[in-house]
Amino acid sequence: MTDTQLTVTLSGGDVDDARAVVRALEGTFGAADQQPSGEGATVRVATFTGEGRVRAGEVEAGSLSAPVSVTVQGSPQQVRQASDTLARSFTARDEGAASGDQEQERQLLLQP
């Protein structure tokens, strides 16, 4: 992973829940380079490249049908921006973080 890539791993919920989470992040990071996979997957991944940027207006993410566990991994700034965006868009509980030399990882539990 490069220092300009944000990786989002999602579990729980269905593909529409994963897409709602990605839509929320697209308001900050632009269009995802990789979208969450189809119906049969239990873990879905989306990736964003480039530095996060605040865009005019929030993206309407939609609602969740079930709790979704989200792990965001990238630079400390990207992880902070992604966590803040998800907390504004959903009811979010911080499940912990881990830091490396140049990367950070944070887990959130998003509630419907």
Side-chain angles (χ1 to χ4, degrees):
M1 179 167 92
T2 68
D3 62 343
T4 61
Q5 180 174 314
L6 177 74
T7 302
V8 181
T9 307
L10 307 111
S11 60
D14 60 23
V15 70
D16 290 330
D17 294 324
R19 289 176 182 153
V21 172
V22 170
R23 272 194 307 277
L25 292 170
E26 286 177 340
T28 301
F29 294 96
D33 300 313
Q34 177 184 346
Q35 291 285 332
S37 58
E39 295 293 331
T42 56
V43 175
R44 296 173 175 89
V45 176
T47 57
F48 299 86
T49 55
E51 291 300 316
R53 59 206 175 276
V54 177
R55 301 171 109 190
E58 297 271 329
V59 172
E60 180 61 37
S63 60
L64 301 175
S65 67
V68 177
S69 178
V70 179
T71 302
V72 291
Q73 182 179 14
S75 72
Q77 177 183 353
Q78 290 171 314
V79 169
R80 183 175 46 256
Q81 287 179 311
S83 298
D84 291 348
T85 297
L86 294 173
R88 282 191 308 272
S89 300
F90 305 100
T91 301
R93 184 173 75 206
D94 189 343
E95 296 281 297
S99 295
D101 286 345
Q102 297 176 9
E103 288 183 356
Q104 191 173 63
E105 180 177 291
R106 178 165 304 280
Q107 273 197 296
L108 300 167
L109 180 63
L110 307 180
Q111 298 286 346

